[in-house]
Amino acid sequence: MMKQALMAAALGLALSLPFGAAQATNAADNPFYTVSELPFQMPPFDKIKDEHYVPALTRGMAEHRAEIEAIANSKDAPSFENTIVALDKSGALLTRVSNVFFNLSGANTNDELQKIQRDFAPQFAAHQDAIVLNEALFKRVETIYQARQKLGLNDEDQRLIVRNYTDFVRAGAKLQGEQREQLKTLNARLAELQTQFSQNVLNETNARGLSVSDKAELAGLSEEAITAAETAAKAKGSEAPYLIALMNTSGQPALASLENREVRQRLFEASILRSSSGGEHDNRQLAIEMAKLRAQRANLLGYPTHAAYMLEDQTARSVDTVNKMMRELAPAAVANARREAAEMQAMIKADGKDFELAGWDWAYYANKLRQKKYNFDASELRPYFELNNVLEKGVFYAAGQLYGLQFERRTDLPVYQEDVQVYQVNEADGTPLGLFIADFYARANKRGGAWMNEYVSQSKLLGTQPVIGNHLNIPKPAAGQPTLMTFDEVTTLFHEFGHALHGLFSDVRYPRFAGTNVPTDFVEYPSQVNEMWATWPSVLANYAKHYKTGEQIPQELLDKVLAAEQFGQGFATTEYLAAALLDQAWHQLSADQVPTDALAFEAKTLQDLGLDFAPVPPRYRSTYFSHIFAGGYSAGYYSYLWSEVLDADSVEWFKENGGLKRANGDHFRKTLLSRGGSEEALELFNQFRGRAPDIAPLLQRRGLASGATAH
Ligand SMILES: [Zn+2]
């Protein structure tokens, strides 16, 4: 049925097909059919119902196909305006609905949305293919590409031509006949698998929390964490009175405080065995099939592996460059982790115990060691990190000092979930810049981790201003209690807001270049830079105040936090590199090298790389590694460390130039944040920094510089 609709679409019959009479009569009620009249074209969340998605997605695709056909079959000679610009403008309805649909599928899903996601995944893939594999359209794009230097266009226009042409070629526009059909089949199947993988992770993460029947087994957890475990058990209707819900990474926060070793082991195993031990949410075969299909697709497109295909379009450019950097860092990182482990082992021995440090012990003894060495307990910090203070007097304050931004709470605008908050962001002179939507609490229907999304992208061509969302997974406190954050959560809040600034400051003509439309191995860089303000003395002094007494966080406590940060670098870098290199291993395989046993492949890979240090498992194991099998980071998880080279070097620049001040923020904004993808990423870095990136500050920060040791 789908195939038929597509063929009709290719023949230009699309508009007559997807509209059933029933849908047509409801059309007027569907809020997606018209541009939102809310400020900044914010989605009218109060009017959007689950039943609006299918008709709006269907009609959005049909309208988009009709626009594409009109461009492709135009009688006029191809021009920049009637082809390239027209393409960038096309698909307005589809963009409107999918921006909401995809984000809410992650942030606030339900069975209905999950079903639509599964049903539509292959259709979206087919829709993309119908555009990029449209031969008449590609001919026009190619004609303009070849003539681009003679058209009297400016740099951004020319770049749009090159970018479009590259997108078409990379998506298979030069393939012929049977190969095109093969590509379509591969894309459709991959889209299905990807959706299934992410839903399996969500369902398994929800299903696999650790049930505890005896309160004594929770010894070590704070009263608040015990209440949260009780609430979670009730919410799930579980038989046991307590449930420790899983977070998405291998490590679980409760492991740092649970005193009962056997309970720690159970929690740890529940986490790392996710989607790999049978049952309907097992992802082992999905990972294998995806690795194989991606390799086949890469071959079809002329590349030896999926990684080679992906990396060519990144700032890293090649598999060798990524392998070289990550593999060179691995031995020093593992050596640091082993040193940290030895210190913990000594502590275990001093306690009169004789077991060997295991994965489920790491966070617990790391915390104890931190208390001993630095004389503080991470939980002492939380009363100073109350969510609203951190947001308004920390994150917003820093943005005010650096960029002159002002934030105005908008309680008059509709939200999709009661905890969500909306802020209008204004320039120093009061000019409205965009909207910021804050969705910070964990929910069972929200995927793990933290992310930023755009509901509306900035574009001078379309006359739009940005509407940006930030999503975290902070446990929601009991009613009436303040939200007290961990230091990690505070850092994450600053990080995600760095992405938000990239979106908010976007000042480009074309939507294709808006905000975070930059290479994956560049996109984490501005967000990482923003983390530096979380611990900047004047920012901290402004936000880190005790929620009861208003007393400022003691400098002494803070110094300990910063000193202790260095202590965990061996672990943090090792778990990260293990995941990043695992991602490369899966995607540097040719189709006939793809293994039949996912876990054995994972084990062998880590062993070969010297990263098989059992107490430090990869940050994500293959079967719940959504970044690479469900999200957009396949062969791209290395990006975080890659971006951190630019980040650490930029932090030095801010320090050299007087830190938190308007002139510095304005320079960063002007040269880099506002430019989105409108110029080569590394060229933007050069314009900001005045030279090419230097890796030394990163090595120093991560304790990897030669001669450096972990303390
Ligand atoms: Zn990020």
Side-chain angles (χ1 to χ4, degrees):
M1 208 171 70
M2 229 166 54
K3 276 249 160 73
Q4 280 173 351
L6 263 177
M7 280 164 58
L11 295 168
L13 302 171
L15 274 172
S16 63
L17 266 177
F19 303 110
Q23 284 168 7
T25 54
N26 292 331
D29 303 331
N30 195 314
F32 289 115
Y33 290 172
T34 48
V35 173
S36 167
E37 282 170 13
L38 291 174
F40 305 91
Q41 303 183 13
M42 178 192 180
F45 291 115
D46 52 339
K47 300 205 173 76
I48 297 170
K49 306 272 180 293
D50 289 350
E51 65 261 30
H52 294 136
Y53 291 115
V54 170
L57 287 167
T58 310
R59 179 159 158 178
M61 284 195 265
E63 281 185 6
H64 194 200
R65 285 193 296 263
E67 288 168 318
I68 295 296
E69 288 304 322
I71 298 168
N73 302 326
S74 164
K75 297 278 178 290
D76 299 326
S79 72
F80 177 65
E81 284 295 328
N82 76 18
T83 305
I84 305 290
V85 177
L87 267 175
D88 216 37
K89 271 184 178 168
S90 70
L93 168 58
L94 186 58
T95 302
R96 211 152 55 222
V97 55
S98 44
N99 281 354
V100 174
F101 178 73
F102 284 116
N103 190 57
L104 294 192
S105 299
N108 204 41
T109 193
N110 58 39
D111 291 346
E112 175 69 14
L113 291 196
Q114 287 204 334
K115 183 178 181 318
I116 300 172
Q117 214 184 350
R118 286 193 301 272
D119 291 349
F120 271 81
Q123 296 193 48
F124 288 133
H127 179 73
Q128 267 319 104
D129 283 345
I131 298 169
V132 291
L133 299 178
N134 181 318
E135 292 182 59
L137 182 61
F138 180 61
K139 272 220 172 68
R140 294 176 73 89
V141 172
E142 197 172 30
T143 305
I144 298 161
Y145 172 77
Q146 280 156 357
R148 69 189 181 283
Q149 274 146 356
K150 292 171 248 152
L151 300 175
L153 298 169
N154 68 27
D155 289 350
E156 190 179 344
D157 293 348
Q158 286 208 40
R159 185 168 166 81
L160 186 68
I161 297 172
V162 175
R163 194 58 255 181
N164 265 279
Y165 175 77
T166 310
D167 288 346
F168 272 83
V169 173
R170 284 180 52 78
K174 287 187 164 175
L175 295 183
Q176 300 299 324
E178 177 56 25
Q179 290 188 322
R180 291 175 160 249
E181 294 315 308
Q182 282 174 20
L183 182 67
K184 288 181 194 169
T185 310
L186 286 169
N187 283 339
R189 178 65 184 151
L190 276 164
E192 267 175 4
L193 289 167
Q194 183 167 326
T195 306
Q196 191 62 56
F197 190 100
S198 74
Q199 295 190 359
N200 283 347
V201 173
L202 180 68
N203 292 331
E204 183 96 345
T205 301
N206 280 331
R208 269 198 178 251
L210 182 70
S211 287
V212 174
S213 28
D214 182 358
K215 192 176 176 182
E217 293 193 322
L218 298 178
L221 290 190
S222 65
E223 270 314 309
E224 205 189 340
I226 294 173
T227 311
E230 237 171 339
T231 313
K234 276 197 199 107
K236 254 188 67 180
S238 94
E239 278 181 24
Y242 307 98
L243 178 79
I244 302 180
L246 293 181
M247 308 295 278
N248 63 327
T249 48
S250 293
Q252 297 296 322
L255 290 173
S257 11
L258 284 167
E259 287 167 9
N260 184 320
R261 185 163 194 247
E262 189 262 336
V263 176
R264 287 204 302 268
Q265 181 172 359
R266 269 158 50 206
L267 177 59
F268 179 81
E269 283 171 353
S271 175
I272 68 161
L273 293 176
R274 266 176 289 167
S275 295
S276 67
S277 47
E280 56 175 334
H281 305 309
D282 195 320
N283 274 333
R284 285 175 296 182
Q285 288 311 312
L286 269 66
I288 288 166
E289 190 180 346
M290 288 178 83
K292 186 168 281 177
L293 298 184
R294 282 172 174 171
Q296 286 172 356
R297 181 173 60 185
N299 280 170
L300 204 53
L301 294 168
Y303 299 83
T305 64
H306 180 68
Y309 167 72
M310 293 301 285
L311 290 171
E312 184 201 59
D313 208 32
Q314 298 296 320
T315 69
R317 296 277 179 231
S318 79
V319 167
D320 290 344
T321 318
V322 171
N323 286 348
K324 187 169 182 296
M325 174 175 162
M326 298 286 144
R327 289 181 188 177
E328 273 177 10
L329 298 180
V334 179
N336 285 350
R338 286 185 189 277
R339 265 194 291 274
E340 291 170 7
E343 286 191 74
M344 290 187 245
Q345 193 66 57
M347 197 172 203
I348 292 169
K349 205 173 164 202
D351 271 359
K353 297 185 179 124
D354 66 352
F355 59 81
E356 196 176 327
L357 181 83
W360 48 92
D361 300 316
W362 192 288
Y364 183 74
Y365 284 97
N367 200 31
K368 269 183 159 287
L369 197 57
R370 227 178 256 125
Q371 285 175 36
K372 194 177 141 208
K373 286 179 88 138
Y374 306 100
N375 192 25
F376 92 99
D377 177 347
S379 63
E380 283 173 43
L381 296 167
R382 298 181 60 217
Y384 297 96
F385 296 152
E386 190 275 321
L387 175 58
N388 277 312
N389 271 342
V390 177
L391 180 66
E392 297 188 355
K393 296 184 176 147
V395 173
F396 289 173
Y397 170 76
Q401 297 294 306
L402 284 163
Y403 310 107
L405 296 185
Q406 300 173 335
F407 298 84
E408 182 191 332
R409 180 82 198 275
R410 295 285 304 253
T411 50
D412 57 320
L413 297 174
V415 290
Y416 53 86
Q417 204 278 343
E418 58 187 2
D419 296 328
V420 176
Q421 302 186 345
V422 184
Y423 290 86
Q424 180 171 322
V425 187
N426 297 326
E427 302 275 15
D429 66 1
T431 311
L433 183 63
L435 286 182
F436 175 65
I437 301 180
D439 176 3
F440 293 146
Y441 289 117
R443 293 186 287 274
N445 68 347
K446 191 184 205 177
R447 73 174 164 89
W451 71 95
M452 165 271 204
N453 77 302
E454 297 191 332
Y455 288 106
V456 179
S457 299
Q458 178 273 338
S459 161
K460 288 183 202 160
L461 178 70
L462 304 177
T464 48
Q465 287 182 284
V467 178
I468 309 289
N470 266 183
H471 305 81
L472 273 74
N473 268 282
I474 302 170
K476 194 177 171 184
Q481 296 300 308
T483 305
L484 304 179
M485 302 165 77
T486 64
F487 182 57
D488 260 5
E489 287 164 349
V490 170
T491 309
T492 304
L493 195 62
F494 276 87
H495 175 100
E496 293 309 325
F497 195 74
H499 287 305
L501 289 172
H502 206 180
L504 286 164
F505 285 147
S506 178
D507 188 22
V508 299
R509 181 162 173 79
Y510 302 108
R512 179 68 180 77
F513 296 143
T516 51
N517 280 305
V518 297
T520 310
D521 65 2
F522 189 76
V523 77
E524 294 302 330
Y525 152 55
S527 52
Q528 288 171 343
V529 170
N530 205 54
E531 292 177 27
M532 75 180 284
W533 309 115
T535 50
W536 195 259
S538 61
V539 179
L540 261 163
N542 201 57
Y543 80 84
K545 295 188 175 160
H546 197 283
Y547 77 101
K548 268 189 192 151
T549 64
E551 170 217 2
Q552 211 170 298
I553 192 167
Q555 186 60 40
E556 195 200 14
L557 179 57
L558 207 59
D559 290 343
K560 289 178 198 167
V561 177
L562 298 179
E565 280 282 278
Q566 276 292 316
F567 167 74
Q569 286 304 320
F571 175 88
T573 310
T574 301
E575 70 155 5
Y576 169 79
L577 283 175
L581 283 163
L582 194 55
D583 166 33
Q584 289 303 320
W586 276 110
H587 295 115
Q588 290 181 14
L589 297 170
S590 61
D592 56 6
Q593 288 172 329
V594 173
T596 52
D597 182 337
L599 297 187
F601 172 73
E602 178 177 303
K604 173 141 191 349
T605 300
L606 296 175
Q607 194 182 15
D608 291 348
L609 293 163
L611 284 160
D612 57 334
F613 183 39
V616 187
R619 188 168 166 82
Y620 300 94
R621 298 191 71 199
S622 306
T623 56
Y624 51 90
F625 204 166
S626 296
H627 285 83
I628 68 163
F629 286 116
Y633 280 82
S634 64
Y637 195 66
Y638 76 96
S639 300
Y640 290 87
L641 198 65
W642 194 264
S643 296
E644 208 181 315
V645 173
L646 308 183
D647 158 33
D649 199 17
S650 300
V651 167
E652 290 308 306
W653 181 88
F654 274 101
K655 287 180 179 166
E656 286 160 15
N657 289 279
L660 186 81
K661 59 180 202 191
R662 185 69 196 273
N664 288 347
D666 285 350
H667 177 67
F668 193 37
R669 173 178 180 173
K670 182 165 174 267
T671 53
L672 200 136
L673 293 175
S674 64
R675 307 291 306 280
S678 66
E679 197 167 322
E680 284 299 318
L682 289 180
E683 179 49 33
L684 294 180
F685 179 87
N686 279 328
Q687 288 172 17
F688 162 67
R689 189 66 171 104
R691 59 160 170 75
D694 175 8
I695 196 175
L698 170 92
L699 298 181
Q700 198 59 41
R701 178 196 286 188
R702 290 254 175 186
L704 299 170
S706 58
T709 50
H711 297 288

